[in-house]
Structures are given as structure tokens and as C-alpha cells.
Amino acid sequence: MSVRVAIVYYSATGSLQAMAERLEQAAAGTGAEVRRRHVREIAPRAAIESRREWAEHVAAMADEPVAEPADIDWADVVLLGSPTRFGNVTSQFQQFIDQLGPLWGEGKLADKVYAGFTSSQTAHGGQETTLLSIYRMVAHFGGLVVAPGYTDPLKFADGNPYGVSHASGANNDAPLGEKELAALDHLATRAIDIATRLAA
Ligand SMILES: Cc1cc2nc3c(=O)[nH]c(=O)nc-3n(C[C@H](O)[C@H](O)[C@H](O)COP(=O)(O)O)c2cc1C
């Protein structure tokens, strides 16, 4: 049986979207079944429309499936992503996590492989704290955090052993570079490899 991978993330203006799409490509390349699901937007309309790029992203995502708790239940590997908001995950991402109580109560969040990805304006703007916020919740799930560490030489290039992170720039217009793309591929393939070995 192929490994089931759920990529669950929030993106307001596209950085996490690009990261999630790369993870999807890398995971699918291993033969895994993949569900890429963005977290439902819950911000007030006026807030969304106050930023053109945010409103455009919401419109572009209108027909894409949103994440449901059932997607986590389905998966063997869960890749969780949120932009940094003041060093933490977004409220939209947290709102999704807060819907997982029933699955948690049934023990259905446990024993899966989890890894995180994030993006912030600046490299020291809270990427590691955001990833640790994600992993703190995974600890409550009884999940298995498969952080990338420095398990491949390419991790010395992107430099984040906690997960994968991207500095998206002041106008959120810095594209993913080769080192981030390689780190995203590594995050996905390593999580799938560990899940495959656990299943065996
Ligand atoms: C309310 C708010 C808070 C933010 N807080 C931080 C922060 O603490 N550190 C940082 O570097 N960037 C911060 N950012 C910038 C975003 O994390 C960054 O633009 C991110 O790449 C956006 O991802 P997205 O395009 O997927 O929405 C913040 C942005 C907003 C709107």
C-alpha cells in the first residue's frame, strides 16, 4: 500500500502555497497518495480586501478543496504549514487545529509522522518559533515529529533543522530558491521514508 500524505497549510498571499505545491510534487514523485488542502479563510472580508494580494489569493483558491479533520485521519504523513504571525502560527491555521479535538479524543492523531514548514518576511522573524509551535501541538497528538535535522548535506544550505522555512521578503515577493526547493523535497521524501519503515 502506498503512503498517504496530507499537506495541510494556510497561506494568505501565496508563499506557503508555493511551498505546499512543491511538497505535493515531491511526495507524489515517490508514489505516495497526496492530499494538498489549504485551511479555510476565516478573516473578516474587510481585512482581506485591505490587501490586494490577499484578496487575489483568496479568489484564486475559491475552487480548491479546504482541509477537513478527516484529511488528517486519512493520512500516514501530515505536513503542516503556516506563515509566521508575530512568531507564531496564524489564527486560521490554529482554528483548523482546534477542530481536531474529537479525533484527538479517539487517539486518531497519534502514531503518524508529522513535519512542519513556514515562511516569514525575514529569516530571523520567527520561523523556528512557528515550527516549534506546530510541534508543541503534535506532542499533544502523540505524533512522531520527523524534523529534518541535518540528515542530508543540503540541510547545511537552507540551515533549518526544525523544518523548512522561507524568507519571503518585505513585499512577499522573494521566490523560493534552490536551497528551499531542495529542502522541501527532502522534508517530504524523508517523512515518507520514515512512515514506510514504520509500517514495515
Ligand atoms: C499580521 C502579520 C504578522 C506577521 N508577523 C511576522 C513576523 O513575526 N515575522 C516575520 O518575519 N514576518 C511576519 N509576517 C510576514 C509573513 O509571515 C510573511 O509575509 C509570510 O511569508 C506570508 O506567507 P503567505 O504568503 O503564505 O501568506 C507577518 C505578516 C502579517 C500579515
Side-chain angles (χ1 to χ4, degrees):
M1 259 183 53
S2 57
V3 175
R4 294 171 164 185
V5 180
I7 303 165
V8 173
Y9 63 100
Y10 174 74
S11 184
T13 52
S15 295
L16 266 285
Q17 181 68 27
M19 296 177 88
E21 287 173 5
R22 181 66 179 211
L23 288 169
E24 178 182 27
Q25 197 184 330
T30 70
E33 282 184 74
V34 186
R35 289 186 186 178
R36 178 176 55 76
R37 299 287 186 266
H38 74 286
V39 162
R40 192 183 308 278
E41 183 58 79
I42 56 169
R45 197 67 224 168
I48 296 167
E49 285 172 359
S50 71
R51 287 179 65 199
R52 184 182 47 80
E53 61 274 31
W54 191 0
E56 285 174 359
H57 185 72
V58 169
M61 296 301 286
D63 293 331
E64 289 221 18
V66 295
E68 301 291 347
D71 296 316
I72 308 287
D73 190 19
W74 168 85
D76 308 302
V77 171
V78 183
L79 304 177
L80 295 171
S82 170
T84 291
R85 290 280 186 275
F86 308 115
N88 205 344
V89 298
T90 64
S91 56
Q92 292 88 341
F93 180 82
Q94 187 67 56
Q95 164 90 350
F96 173 77
I97 296 289
D98 290 354
Q99 293 172 51
L100 300 180
L103 285 179
W104 170 82
E106 295 172 48
K108 290 186 171 174
L109 302 178
D111 303 343
K112 299 173 187 292
V113 165
Y114 294 83
F117 58 105
T118 189
S119 166
S120 64
Q121 180 176 324
T122 60
H124 298 285
Q127 297 177 340
E128 292 173 7
T129 52
T130 301
L131 291 168
L132 291 174
S133 296
I134 292 172
Y135 295 153
R136 192 167 53 221
M137 296 185 277
V138 172
H140 286 251
F141 300 169
L144 308 169
V145 173
V146 176
Y150 296 96
T151 54
D152 187 288
L154 65 84
K155 290 302 296 179
F156 289 97
D158 84 291
N160 191 339
Y162 296 88
V164 179
S165 55
H166 173 53
S168 61
N171 298 313
N172 215 45
D173 53 5
L176 293 170
E178 286 306 316
K179 58 183 190 299
E180 289 88 14
L181 293 171
L184 287 163
D185 293 349
H186 173 259
L187 191 85
T189 55
R190 172 170 154 78
I192 291 166
D193 176 48
I194 298 290
T196 304
R197 288 201 259 161
L198 281 170

